[in-house]
Amino acid sequence: MATLSIAEALREAIREEMRRDERVFCLGEDIDIEGGFGGAFTVTLGLSKEFGHERILDTPISEIMIAGAAVGAAMTGMIPIADVQYGDFLFCMMDQLANNAAKMTYMSGGTVKVPMVMRAPVGATTRGAQHAQSLEGFFTHIPGLKIICPSTAYDAKGLLKTAIRDNNPVVVFEHKLLYGSKGNRAEKAALSPVGEVPDEEYLIPFGEGVIRREGKDITIVANLLMVYRAMEAADILEKEGISVEVIDPRTLVPFDYELVIHSIRKTSRLMIVEEDTKRNGWGAEVAAQIAEDALYYLDAPIVRVAGYDVPVPFAPVMENYVVPSASRIAEAARKLMKS
Amino acid sequence: MYEQLFLLRNYEDRIYYMFLEGIMPGTIHQSQGQEACAVGVLFDVRKEDYMTSTHRPAGHCLAKGVSLESMMCEMFAKANGCCKGKGGAMHTGDISVGAIPAVAITAGGMPVAIGAGLSCKMRKTDNVVICFFGDGASNEGAFHESMNAAAIWNLPVVFVCENNLYGASTHINQVIKIKDLAERAAAYGMPGYVADGNDVLAVNKAANEAIDRARKGKGPTLLELKTYRRCGHSRNDACGYRDKQEEKEWFEKDPVARCKNYILQQQLAAPVELEAIEKKVLQQIDDAVAFAKASPSPEPQDALLHVYA
């Protein structure tokens, strides 16, 4: 067992897969320039020492090209891991991701494969509205993409390795406050969870959520940073006699509805917590799906705690207000218990 | 070469007539008048070389070796089309012959060509990528990002700009200040050449030089082919925006007729030999139409397949 941060776990996943399969390569901006950052959050730092700059390919600041090149390379026998410095820049490459990556297999009647990985950091970190968004919901809306969001080091390594071996485009959302990036790329207010990661190889299949904490009164489904906020809220609520079960779906497409339904059969109450804006988010989809399939297990309306429908503001007091906090989650839970 | 030119022209014409008859679904963006670009560029490429195409892909695909039957079936939205009825006219392709399914977003195929070029290079092959696009694409950001990347990484990509003077109905002079798009190559540090896109031999010569350069690891080239659509931008386009004198001048430079006249003048083949070729090609098209009409449609619920590989 090694104790790794998420950034280190992701790096180990890339390293192992690049050793295992010479088709795997990384491309992105500043991903391993000597004396540079190793990607915006150090994930690819030092990999060029082992694999050289041909397989750890630093690109111009050309997001359309990065995404399109990943698509083209993937269709022609390579397995690219593309890197974008901030998830917000995915919008620059949206045509390539939504129109090409997601649709090539379909439009070709299944004759073309696009085995690529697109990594993107998300989350509000006092950088203002254009380096802050949580974009998982946007991408869950596009058929043809798989969407994963690891919140622990163990999951980060296991899920990324699965993503690299998948025959489809997989978008990996990573939270800036969870990386545990070190040195001058360390984040203020980061949680930086380190975790035990086995030395032997393992893969984590998509579509299998995990119960982070068992409880009997309320089921909270939360991803990325919100898993930790929900856990914090659960600690607060436990002292008040409210027992919370926290589910981390780990992957949003595919989504483990079975685990959620199993949980609400016990708790009869469901809350979904996401950092993204509330309107039409992935939480809305989960709520709708549960209402369609399992409403009869619920004793109260489904509650969503999410970012307010505003761009992410800069001032820390405002940012903290917009992003769901443990106290906001706890307050919503108390209210849910009364309904 | 003449056989291919004749095939491309008559395939597109036949599609057009069937469209007018109303027996074909969807929309069409045809390439009559631009056949020498597709045939001249692709005549000497290998099956293993890749090609990216545009919303106007039929000529490119036929010249790259996508089967006539599978293309016709796709046009008729049949289950055995080259995209199993899921692509249609604008996404024609067949990866098994190097024809990456066409990208119908202007310039959207260019970054894909960069990826295919990287792949050819990283896998240490000497295969090349032919990247077709139009004059309109050269004003997209994707054009700039792709040209620059190909240059800095010395990729085996041949950028082929078919300049047919119009982006849909907008004349190029209204949207581009320079005389030749090939000039833009200099901005990226790669060679750029202009060729007569209606002269199949001129195209072939210029393309082969660029392809040879790419194959030898000497990097990308921008090739601008001056050409003209005989047809509208898409169906139901009578080209009211084009000057009739301009049309007349260009139609006199028709690439198919020019090639035929050249062959006859140079006595490279007898008229009867060309007639035999033409007859054979027309029969192939007839057969493909009959085959496509008799082919099965996909089941409605097949729409749910192939979202993921």
mmCIF file of all heavy atoms in Angstrom, chain A residues 25 54 60 62-65 68-69 72-73 75-76 78 95-96 100 104-107 109 144-145 168 253, chain B residues 50 83-84 86-87 91 100-101 103 105 108 111-112 115 119 122-123 145 152 303 305-309:
data_model
loop_
_atom_site.group_PDB
_atom_site.id
_atom_site.type_symbol
_atom_site.label_atom_id
_atom_site.label_comp_id
_atom_site.label_asym_id
_atom_site.label_seq_id
_atom_site.Cartn_x
_atom_site.Cartn_y
_atom_site.Cartn_z
ATOM 1 N N PHE A 25 -0.707 7.943 -24.940
ATOM 2 C CA PHE A 25 0.136 9.131 -24.817
ATOM 3 C C PHE A 25 -0.678 10.295 -24.261
ATOM 4 O O PHE A 25 -1.908 10.255 -24.262
ATOM 5 C CB PHE A 25 0.794 9.494 -26.160
ATOM 6 C CG PHE A 25 -0.136 10.104 -27.190
ATOM 7 C CD1 PHE A 25 -0.107 11.470 -27.448
ATOM 8 C CD2 PHE A 25 -1.027 9.321 -27.902
ATOM 9 C CE1 PHE A 25 -0.948 12.036 -28.407
ATOM 10 C CE2 PHE A 25 -1.882 9.878 -28.855
ATOM 11 C CZ PHE A 25 -1.840 11.238 -29.114
ATOM 12 N N GLU A 54 7.838 12.905 -26.800
ATOM 13 C CA GLU A 54 6.953 12.480 -27.888
ATOM 14 C C GLU A 54 5.659 11.910 -27.335
ATOM 15 O O GLU A 54 4.599 12.066 -27.939
ATOM 16 C CB GLU A 54 7.645 11.443 -28.780
ATOM 17 C CG GLU A 54 8.622 12.091 -29.717
ATOM 18 C CD GLU A 54 9.058 11.173 -30.831
ATOM 19 O OE1 GLU A 54 8.600 10.008 -30.882
ATOM 20 O OE2 GLU A 54 9.867 11.630 -31.641
ATOM 21 N N PRO A 60 0.749 23.739 -28.258
ATOM 22 C CA PRO A 60 0.441 25.169 -28.218
ATOM 23 C C PRO A 60 -0.878 25.393 -27.459
ATOM 24 O O PRO A 60 -1.596 24.426 -27.189
ATOM 25 C CB PRO A 60 0.265 25.541 -29.694
ATOM 26 C CG PRO A 60 0.685 24.371 -30.487
ATOM 27 C CD PRO A 60 0.654 23.172 -29.601
ATOM 28 N N SER A 62 -4.022 25.738 -27.883
ATOM 29 C CA SER A 62 -4.915 25.486 -29.019
ATOM 30 C C SER A 62 -5.907 24.407 -28.614
ATOM 31 O O SER A 62 -5.751 23.230 -28.965
ATOM 32 C CB SER A 62 -4.106 25.008 -30.233
ATOM 33 O OG SER A 62 -3.155 25.953 -30.652
ATOM 34 N N GLU A 63 -6.918 24.810 -27.878
ATOM 35 C CA GLU A 63 -7.814 23.795 -27.311
ATOM 36 C C GLU A 63 -8.591 23.024 -28.373
ATOM 37 O O GLU A 63 -8.856 21.833 -28.212
ATOM 38 C CB GLU A 63 -8.787 24.427 -26.301
ATOM 39 C CG GLU A 63 -8.148 24.770 -24.962
ATOM 40 C CD GLU A 63 -7.474 26.124 -24.971
ATOM 41 O OE1 GLU A 63 -7.651 26.868 -25.960
ATOM 42 O OE2 GLU A 63 -6.766 26.449 -24.000
ATOM 43 N N ILE A 64 -8.985 23.708 -29.450
ATOM 44 C CA ILE A 64 -9.729 23.002 -30.510
ATOM 45 C C ILE A 64 -8.847 21.891 -31.075
ATOM 46 O O ILE A 64 -9.281 20.758 -31.276
ATOM 47 C CB ILE A 64 -10.125 23.965 -31.659
ATOM 48 C CG1 ILE A 64 -10.961 25.127 -31.141
ATOM 49 C CG2 ILE A 64 -10.860 23.214 -32.759
ATOM 50 C CD1 ILE A 64 -11.205 26.215 -32.189
ATOM 51 N N MET A 65 -7.594 22.257 -31.311
ATOM 52 C CA MET A 65 -6.660 21.284 -31.892
ATOM 53 C C MET A 65 -6.403 20.130 -30.912
ATOM 54 O O MET A 65 -6.346 18.965 -31.326
ATOM 55 C CB MET A 65 -5.362 22.002 -32.267
ATOM 56 C CG MET A 65 -4.328 21.147 -32.963
ATOM 57 S SD MET A 65 -3.353 20.146 -31.834
ATOM 58 C CE MET A 65 -2.437 21.420 -30.956
ATOM 59 N N GLY A 68 -9.428 17.892 -30.972
ATOM 60 C CA GLY A 68 -9.579 17.268 -32.290
ATOM 61 C C GLY A 68 -8.462 16.287 -32.572
ATOM 62 O O GLY A 68 -8.680 15.217 -33.152
ATOM 63 N N ALA A 69 -7.250 16.623 -32.150
ATOM 64 C CA ALA A 69 -6.121 15.718 -32.364
ATOM 65 C C ALA A 69 -6.325 14.438 -31.555
ATOM 66 O O ALA A 69 -5.986 13.342 -32.010
ATOM 67 C CB ALA A 69 -4.805 16.396 -31.976
ATOM 68 N N GLY A 72 -8.756 12.381 -33.577
ATOM 69 C CA GLY A 72 -8.120 11.816 -34.777
ATOM 70 C C GLY A 72 -7.129 10.719 -34.435
ATOM 71 O O GLY A 72 -7.061 9.684 -35.115
ATOM 72 N N ALA A 73 -6.363 10.923 -33.378
ATOM 73 C CA ALA A 73 -5.391 9.905 -32.974
ATOM 74 C C ALA A 73 -6.108 8.659 -32.470
ATOM 75 O O ALA A 73 -5.714 7.529 -32.771
ATOM 76 C CB ALA A 73 -4.454 10.464 -31.902
ATOM 77 N N MET A 75 -9.039 7.569 -33.327
ATOM 78 C CA MET A 75 -9.682 6.830 -34.420
ATOM 79 C C MET A 75 -8.686 6.048 -35.258
ATOM 80 O O MET A 75 -9.070 5.171 -36.032
ATOM 81 C CB MET A 75 -10.432 7.806 -35.335
ATOM 82 C CG MET A 75 -11.730 8.282 -34.760
ATOM 83 S SD MET A 75 -12.742 9.054 -36.045
ATOM 84 C CE MET A 75 -11.756 10.452 -36.447
ATOM 85 N N THR A 76 -7.405 6.394 -35.116
ATOM 86 C CA THR A 76 -6.410 5.794 -36.008
ATOM 87 C C THR A 76 -5.357 4.995 -35.242
ATOM 88 O O THR A 76 -4.207 4.922 -35.658
ATOM 89 C CB THR A 76 -5.730 6.886 -36.865
ATOM 90 O OG1 THR A 76 -5.151 7.864 -35.995
ATOM 91 C CG2 THR A 76 -6.723 7.575 -37.777
ATOM 92 N N MET A 78 -4.355 5.119 -31.773
ATOM 93 C CA MET A 78 -3.676 5.555 -30.556
ATOM 94 C C MET A 78 -4.694 5.706 -29.427
ATOM 95 O O MET A 78 -5.903 5.653 -29.648
ATOM 96 C CB MET A 78 -2.960 6.887 -30.802
ATOM 97 C CG MET A 78 -1.917 6.850 -31.901
ATOM 98 S SD MET A 78 -0.520 5.737 -31.552
ATOM 99 C CE MET A 78 0.356 6.671 -30.289
ATOM 100 N N ASP A 95 -16.919 21.875 -29.953
ATOM 101 C CA ASP A 95 -17.264 21.274 -31.254
ATOM 102 C C ASP A 95 -16.604 19.910 -31.401
ATOM 103 O O ASP A 95 -17.246 18.923 -31.776
ATOM 104 C CB ASP A 95 -16.830 22.212 -32.392
ATOM 105 C CG ASP A 95 -16.986 21.554 -33.753
ATOM 106 O OD1 ASP A 95 -18.057 20.966 -33.997
ATOM 107 O OD2 ASP A 95 -16.050 21.631 -34.564
ATOM 108 N N GLN A 96 -15.317 19.863 -31.078
ATOM 109 C CA GLN A 96 -14.593 18.598 -31.242
ATOM 110 C C GLN A 96 -15.122 17.523 -30.288
ATOM 111 O O GLN A 96 -15.194 16.354 -30.651
ATOM 112 C CB GLN A 96 -13.090 18.813 -31.022
ATOM 113 C CG GLN A 96 -12.438 19.637 -32.121
ATOM 114 C CD GLN A 96 -12.561 18.993 -33.490
ATOM 115 O OE1 GLN A 96 -12.493 17.779 -33.630
ATOM 116 N NE2 GLN A 96 -12.759 19.803 -34.517
ATOM 117 N N ASN A 100 -17.594 15.611 -32.673
ATOM 118 C CA ASN A 100 -16.720 14.559 -33.209
ATOM 119 C C ASN A 100 -16.512 13.408 -32.224
ATOM 120 O O ASN A 100 -16.876 12.275 -32.514
ATOM 121 C CB ASN A 100 -15.373 15.137 -33.638
ATOM 122 C CG ASN A 100 -15.488 15.933 -34.942
ATOM 123 O OD1 ASN A 100 -16.505 15.878 -35.622
ATOM 124 N ND2 ASN A 100 -14.454 16.676 -35.279
ATOM 125 N N MET A 104 -18.644 10.111 -33.535
ATOM 126 C CA MET A 104 -17.970 9.384 -34.612
ATOM 127 C C MET A 104 -18.358 7.905 -34.638
ATOM 128 O O MET A 104 -18.591 7.340 -35.707
ATOM 129 C CB MET A 104 -16.453 9.521 -34.488
ATOM 130 C CG MET A 104 -15.919 10.760 -35.171
ATOM 131 S SD MET A 104 -16.158 10.672 -36.963
ATOM 132 C CE MET A 104 -15.584 12.285 -37.436
ATOM 133 N N THR A 105 -18.402 7.284 -33.472
ATOM 134 C CA THR A 105 -18.765 5.871 -33.435
ATOM 135 C C THR A 105 -20.176 5.694 -33.983
ATOM 136 O O THR A 105 -20.438 4.831 -34.825
ATOM 137 C CB THR A 105 -18.669 5.332 -31.995
ATOM 138 O OG1 THR A 105 -17.305 5.403 -31.591
ATOM 139 C CG2 THR A 105 -19.155 3.895 -31.897
ATOM 140 N N TYR A 106 -21.062 6.550 -33.544
ATOM 141 C CA TYR A 106 -22.462 6.446 -33.957
ATOM 142 C C TYR A 106 -22.634 6.728 -35.450
ATOM 143 O O TYR A 106 -23.243 5.947 -36.174
ATOM 144 C CB TYR A 106 -23.300 7.422 -33.133
ATOM 145 C CG TYR A 106 -24.788 7.225 -33.311
ATOM 146 C CD1 TYR A 106 -25.457 6.219 -32.625
ATOM 147 C CD2 TYR A 106 -25.521 8.035 -34.166
ATOM 148 C CE1 TYR A 106 -26.817 6.019 -32.778
ATOM 149 C CE2 TYR A 106 -26.890 7.848 -34.334
ATOM 150 C CZ TYR A 106 -27.529 6.838 -33.632
ATOM 151 O OH TYR A 106 -28.881 6.654 -33.800
ATOM 152 N N MET A 107 -22.081 7.864 -35.883
ATOM 153 C CA MET A 107 -22.275 8.271 -37.281
ATOM 154 C C MET A 107 -21.676 7.272 -38.266
ATOM 155 O O MET A 107 -22.068 7.226 -39.428
ATOM 156 C CB MET A 107 -21.667 9.652 -37.545
ATOM 157 C CG MET A 107 -22.342 10.770 -36.779
ATOM 158 S SD MET A 107 -21.872 12.420 -37.375
ATOM 159 C CE MET A 107 -20.098 12.409 -37.218
ATOM 160 N N GLY A 109 -21.833 4.133 -37.863
ATOM 161 C CA GLY A 109 -22.516 2.843 -37.699
ATOM 162 C C GLY A 109 -21.695 1.851 -36.901
ATOM 163 O O GLY A 109 -21.781 0.651 -37.113
ATOM 164 N N GLY A 144 -22.867 9.417 -26.076
ATOM 165 C CA GLY A 144 -21.607 9.038 -26.720
ATOM 166 C C GLY A 144 -20.399 9.281 -25.828
ATOM 167 O O GLY A 144 -19.329 8.746 -26.077
ATOM 168 N N LEU A 145 -20.576 10.120 -24.797
ATOM 169 C CA LEU A 145 -19.479 10.352 -23.857
ATOM 170 C C LEU A 145 -19.749 9.571 -22.571
ATOM 171 O O LEU A 145 -20.900 9.366 -22.195
ATOM 172 C CB LEU A 145 -19.379 11.840 -23.496
ATOM 173 C CG LEU A 145 -19.131 12.829 -24.632
ATOM 174 C CD1 LEU A 145 -19.103 14.254 -24.078
ATOM 175 C CD2 LEU A 145 -17.826 12.523 -25.354
ATOM 176 N N ASN A 168 -14.265 4.114 -25.684
ATOM 177 C CA ASN A 168 -15.085 5.297 -25.953
ATOM 178 C C ASN A 168 -14.436 6.539 -25.358
ATOM 179 O O ASN A 168 -13.573 6.441 -24.495
ATOM 180 C CB ASN A 168 -16.464 5.093 -25.312
ATOM 181 C CG ASN A 168 -17.195 3.919 -25.930
ATOM 182 O OD1 ASN A 168 -17.725 4.042 -27.022
ATOM 183 N ND2 ASN A 168 -17.172 2.776 -25.248
ATOM 184 N N VAL A 253 -22.008 8.980 -16.028
ATOM 185 C CA VAL A 253 -22.460 8.216 -17.195
ATOM 186 C C VAL A 253 -21.465 7.080 -17.399
ATOM 187 O O VAL A 253 -20.319 7.348 -17.749
ATOM 188 C CB VAL A 253 -22.515 9.074 -18.483
ATOM 189 C CG1 VAL A 253 -22.974 8.223 -19.670
ATOM 190 C CG2 VAL A 253 -23.424 10.277 -18.302
ATOM 191 N N TYR B 50 -4.560 8.226 -44.593
ATOM 192 C CA TYR B 50 -5.869 8.671 -44.113
ATOM 193 C C TYR B 50 -6.331 9.901 -44.884
ATOM 194 O O TYR B 50 -5.533 10.632 -45.489
ATOM 195 C CB TYR B 50 -5.818 8.994 -42.618
ATOM 196 C CG TYR B 50 -5.703 7.766 -41.767
ATOM 197 C CD1 TYR B 50 -4.502 7.441 -41.135
ATOM 198 C CD2 TYR B 50 -6.798 6.923 -41.585
ATOM 199 C CE1 TYR B 50 -4.391 6.301 -40.347
ATOM 200 C CE2 TYR B 50 -6.698 5.786 -40.803
ATOM 201 C CZ TYR B 50 -5.497 5.484 -40.185
ATOM 202 O OH TYR B 50 -5.398 4.368 -39.402
ATOM 203 N N CYS B 83 -22.313 3.823 -43.472
ATOM 204 C CA CYS B 83 -22.478 4.207 -42.061
ATOM 205 C C CYS B 83 -23.720 3.557 -41.463
ATOM 206 O O CYS B 83 -24.266 4.038 -40.476
ATOM 207 C CB CYS B 83 -22.566 5.721 -41.927
ATOM 208 S SG CYS B 83 -21.152 6.603 -42.593
ATOM 209 N N LYS B 84 -24.181 2.493 -42.107
ATOM 210 C CA LYS B 84 -25.361 1.738 -41.639
ATOM 211 C C LYS B 84 -26.603 2.624 -41.494
ATOM 212 O O LYS B 84 -27.433 2.433 -40.615
ATOM 213 C CB LYS B 84 -25.056 1.026 -40.325
ATOM 214 C CG LYS B 84 -23.867 0.066 -40.432
ATOM 215 C CD LYS B 84 -23.891 -0.973 -39.327
ATOM 216 C CE LYS B 84 -22.875 -2.071 -39.567
ATOM 217 N NZ LYS B 84 -21.600 -1.842 -38.952
ATOM 218 N N LYS B 86 -26.636 5.609 -40.465
ATOM 219 C CA LYS B 86 -26.552 6.550 -39.341
ATOM 220 C C LYS B 86 -25.800 7.824 -39.695
ATOM 221 O O LYS B 86 -25.777 8.773 -38.912
ATOM 222 C CB LYS B 86 -25.853 5.875 -38.159
ATOM 223 C CG LYS B 86 -26.712 4.820 -37.491
ATOM 224 C CD LYS B 86 -26.428 4.771 -36.010
ATOM 225 C CE LYS B 86 -27.446 3.956 -35.247
ATOM 226 N NZ LYS B 86 -27.152 2.533 -35.240
ATOM 227 N N GLY B 87 -25.159 7.834 -40.858
ATOM 228 C CA GLY B 87 -24.350 8.998 -41.210
ATOM 229 C C GLY B 87 -25.034 9.899 -42.228
ATOM 230 O O GLY B 87 -25.240 11.076 -42.000
ATOM 231 N N HIS B 91 -21.687 12.522 -43.737
ATOM 232 C CA HIS B 91 -20.742 11.792 -42.869
ATOM 233 C C HIS B 91 -20.204 10.539 -43.547
ATOM 234 O O HIS B 91 -19.737 9.610 -42.883
ATOM 235 C CB HIS B 91 -21.407 11.481 -41.529
ATOM 236 C CG HIS B 91 -21.924 12.711 -40.862
ATOM 237 N ND1 HIS B 91 -21.084 13.746 -40.508
ATOM 238 C CD2 HIS B 91 -23.166 13.120 -40.551
ATOM 239 C CE1 HIS B 91 -21.805 14.723 -39.986
ATOM 240 N NE2 HIS B 91 -23.063 14.376 -40.006
ATOM 241 N N ILE B 100 -11.770 8.614 -43.132
ATOM 242 C CA ILE B 100 -12.380 8.932 -41.843
ATOM 243 C C ILE B 100 -13.765 9.517 -42.124
ATOM 244 O O ILE B 100 -13.899 10.361 -43.011
ATOM 245 C CB ILE B 100 -11.475 9.927 -41.079
ATOM 246 C CG1 ILE B 100 -10.200 9.202 -40.632
ATOM 247 C CG2 ILE B 100 -12.207 10.544 -39.885
ATOM 248 C CD1 ILE B 100 -9.142 10.093 -40.021
ATOM 249 N N PRO B 101 -14.790 9.041 -41.423
ATOM 250 C CA PRO B 101 -16.134 9.566 -41.699
ATOM 251 C C PRO B 101 -16.115 11.099 -41.743
ATOM 252 O O PRO B 101 -15.521 11.746 -40.887
ATOM 253 C CB PRO B 101 -16.955 9.042 -40.515
ATOM 254 C CG PRO B 101 -16.263 7.783 -40.125
ATOM 255 C CD PRO B 101 -14.800 8.039 -40.351
ATOM 256 N N VAL B 103 -16.518 14.993 -41.593
ATOM 257 C CA VAL B 103 -16.941 15.931 -40.546
ATOM 258 C C VAL B 103 -17.620 17.105 -41.248
ATOM 259 O O VAL B 103 -17.005 17.783 -42.070
ATOM 260 C CB VAL B 103 -15.736 16.414 -39.714
ATOM 261 C CG1 VAL B 103 -16.168 17.494 -38.735
ATOM 262 C CG2 VAL B 103 -15.105 15.239 -38.974
ATOM 263 N N ILE B 105 -18.891 19.897 -39.989
ATOM 264 C CA ILE B 105 -18.767 21.219 -39.390
ATOM 265 C C ILE B 105 -17.570 21.881 -40.077
ATOM 266 O O ILE B 105 -16.488 21.298 -40.110
ATOM 267 C CB ILE B 105 -18.494 21.117 -37.871
ATOM 268 C CG1 ILE B 105 -19.545 20.253 -37.164
ATOM 269 C CG2 ILE B 105 -18.388 22.506 -37.255
ATOM 270 C CD1 ILE B 105 -20.922 20.831 -37.065
ATOM 271 N N GLY B 108 -14.044 21.472 -39.056
ATOM 272 C CA GLY B 108 -14.067 20.532 -37.933
ATOM 273 C C GLY B 108 -13.218 19.291 -38.149
ATOM 274 O O GLY B 108 -12.808 18.637 -37.195
ATOM 275 N N PRO B 111 -8.613 19.532 -37.165
ATOM 276 C CA PRO B 111 -7.893 19.031 -35.980
ATOM 277 C C PRO B 111 -7.856 17.506 -35.936
ATOM 278 O O PRO B 111 -6.896 16.922 -35.409
ATOM 279 C CB PRO B 111 -8.717 19.586 -34.810
ATOM 280 C CG PRO B 111 -9.501 20.720 -35.376
ATOM 281 C CD PRO B 111 -9.779 20.355 -36.803
ATOM 282 N N VAL B 112 -8.867 16.869 -36.489
ATOM 283 C CA VAL B 112 -8.882 15.406 -36.542
ATOM 284 C C VAL B 112 -7.721 14.910 -37.414
ATOM 285 O O VAL B 112 -7.061 13.922 -37.089
ATOM 286 C CB VAL B 112 -10.246 14.908 -37.081
ATOM 287 C CG1 VAL B 112 -10.231 13.397 -37.267
ATOM 288 C CG2 VAL B 112 -11.373 15.322 -36.136
ATOM 289 N N GLY B 115 -4.617 14.778 -35.470
ATOM 290 C CA GLY B 115 -4.534 13.567 -34.654
ATOM 291 C C GLY B 115 -4.129 12.357 -35.483
ATOM 292 O O GLY B 115 -3.302 11.543 -35.055
ATOM 293 N N SER B 119 -0.743 10.217 -35.132
ATOM 294 C CA SER B 119 -0.822 8.766 -35.035
ATOM 295 C C SER B 119 0.109 8.097 -36.056
ATOM 296 O O SER B 119 0.866 7.186 -35.712
ATOM 297 C CB SER B 119 -2.282 8.351 -35.255
ATOM 298 O OG SER B 119 -2.406 6.975 -35.407
ATOM 299 N N MET B 122 3.657 8.760 -34.719
ATOM 300 C CA MET B 122 3.998 8.069 -33.470
ATOM 301 C C MET B 122 4.095 6.564 -33.664
ATOM 302 O O MET B 122 4.876 5.895 -33.001
ATOM 303 C CB MET B 122 2.971 8.407 -32.384
ATOM 304 C CG MET B 122 3.039 9.860 -31.951
ATOM 305 S SD MET B 122 1.781 10.278 -30.719
ATOM 306 C CE MET B 122 2.652 9.838 -29.231
ATOM 307 N N ARG B 123 3.282 6.039 -34.585
ATOM 308 C CA ARG B 123 3.346 4.599 -34.853
ATOM 309 C C ARG B 123 4.464 4.267 -35.829
ATOM 310 O O ARG B 123 4.622 3.131 -36.257
ATOM 311 C CB ARG B 123 1.988 4.109 -35.368
ATOM 312 C CG ARG B 123 0.921 4.089 -34.272
ATOM 313 C CD ARG B 123 -0.411 3.529 -34.751
ATOM 314 N NE ARG B 123 -1.081 4.428 -35.672
ATOM 315 C CZ ARG B 123 -1.341 4.133 -36.951
ATOM 316 N NH1 ARG B 123 -0.993 2.968 -37.453
ATOM 317 N NH2 ARG B 123 -1.940 5.001 -37.729
ATOM 318 N N GLU B 145 -5.332 26.693 -35.707
ATOM 319 C CA GLU B 145 -4.741 25.805 -34.703
ATOM 320 C C GLU B 145 -4.147 24.551 -35.355
ATOM 321 O O GLU B 145 -3.103 24.057 -34.931
ATOM 322 C CB GLU B 145 -5.803 25.414 -33.661
ATOM 323 C CG GLU B 145 -6.267 26.606 -32.823
ATOM 324 C CD GLU B 145 -7.142 26.217 -31.641
ATOM 325 O OE1 GLU B 145 -7.169 25.033 -31.262
ATOM 326 O OE2 GLU B 145 -7.791 27.125 -31.084
ATOM 327 N N ILE B 152 4.589 22.843 -36.403
ATOM 328 C CA ILE B 152 5.579 22.708 -35.309
ATOM 329 C C ILE B 152 5.962 21.256 -35.058
ATOM 330 O O ILE B 152 7.079 20.975 -34.653
ATOM 331 C CB ILE B 152 5.098 23.356 -33.985
ATOM 332 C CG1 ILE B 152 3.797 22.731 -33.501
ATOM 333 C CG2 ILE B 152 4.973 24.870 -34.122
ATOM 334 C CD1 ILE B 152 3.464 23.057 -32.050
ATOM 335 N N ALA B 303 -31.633 2.669 -34.145
ATOM 336 C CA ALA B 303 -31.188 4.007 -33.728
ATOM 337 C C ALA B 303 -30.521 3.975 -32.358
ATOM 338 O O ALA B 303 -29.726 4.851 -32.024
ATOM 339 C CB ALA B 303 -32.371 4.969 -33.701
ATOM 340 N N LEU B 305 -28.507 1.653 -31.275
ATOM 341 C CA LEU B 305 -27.214 0.962 -31.299
ATOM 342 C C LEU B 305 -26.077 1.915 -31.659
ATOM 343 O O LEU B 305 -26.303 2.961 -32.256
ATOM 344 C CB LEU B 305 -27.239 -0.181 -32.328
ATOM 345 C CG LEU B 305 -28.353 -1.221 -32.196
ATOM 346 C CD1 LEU B 305 -28.294 -2.195 -33.374
ATOM 347 C CD2 LEU B 305 -28.223 -1.967 -30.881
ATOM 348 N N HIS B 306 -24.870 1.515 -31.298
ATOM 349 C CA HIS B 306 -23.639 2.203 -31.709
ATOM 350 C C HIS B 306 -23.416 3.558 -31.065
ATOM 351 O O HIS B 306 -22.606 4.348 -31.550
ATOM 352 C CB HIS B 306 -23.572 2.361 -33.244
ATOM 353 C CG HIS B 306 -23.727 1.085 -33.991
ATOM 354 N ND1 HIS B 306 -24.623 0.924 -35.015
ATOM 355 C CD2 HIS B 306 -23.109 -0.098 -33.835
ATOM 356 C CE1 HIS B 306 -24.554 -0.313 -35.479
ATOM 357 N NE2 HIS B 306 -23.633 -0.957 -34.774
ATOM 358 N N VAL B 307 -24.132 3.853 -29.978
ATOM 359 C CA VAL B 307 -23.832 5.090 -29.247
ATOM 360 C C VAL B 307 -22.440 4.957 -28.628
ATOM 361 O O VAL B 307 -21.659 5.911 -28.598
ATOM 362 C CB VAL B 307 -24.890 5.352 -28.157
ATOM 363 C CG1 VAL B 307 -24.546 6.622 -27.371
ATOM 364 C CG2 VAL B 307 -26.273 5.483 -28.778
ATOM 365 N N TYR B 308 -22.172 3.741 -28.165
ATOM 366 C CA TYR B 308 -20.837 3.436 -27.637
ATOM 367 C C TYR B 308 -20.255 2.249 -28.396
ATOM 368 O O TYR B 308 -20.995 1.414 -28.910
ATOM 369 C CB TYR B 308 -20.917 3.108 -26.131
ATOM 370 C CG TYR B 308 -21.362 4.286 -25.302
ATOM 371 C CD1 TYR B 308 -22.687 4.411 -24.889
ATOM 372 C CD2 TYR B 308 -20.467 5.302 -24.970
ATOM 373 C CE1 TYR B 308 -23.094 5.517 -24.154
ATOM 374 C CE2 TYR B 308 -20.873 6.413 -24.230
ATOM 375 C CZ TYR B 308 -22.184 6.509 -23.830
ATOM 376 O OH TYR B 308 -22.591 7.606 -23.109
ATOM 377 N N ALA B 309 -18.940 2.233 -28.453
ATOM 378 C CA ALA B 309 -18.270 1.126 -29.148
ATOM 379 C C ALA B 309 -18.273 -0.099 -28.254
ATOM 380 O O ALA B 309 -18.251 0.009 -27.041
ATOM 381 C CB ALA B 309 -16.838 1.519 -29.474
#
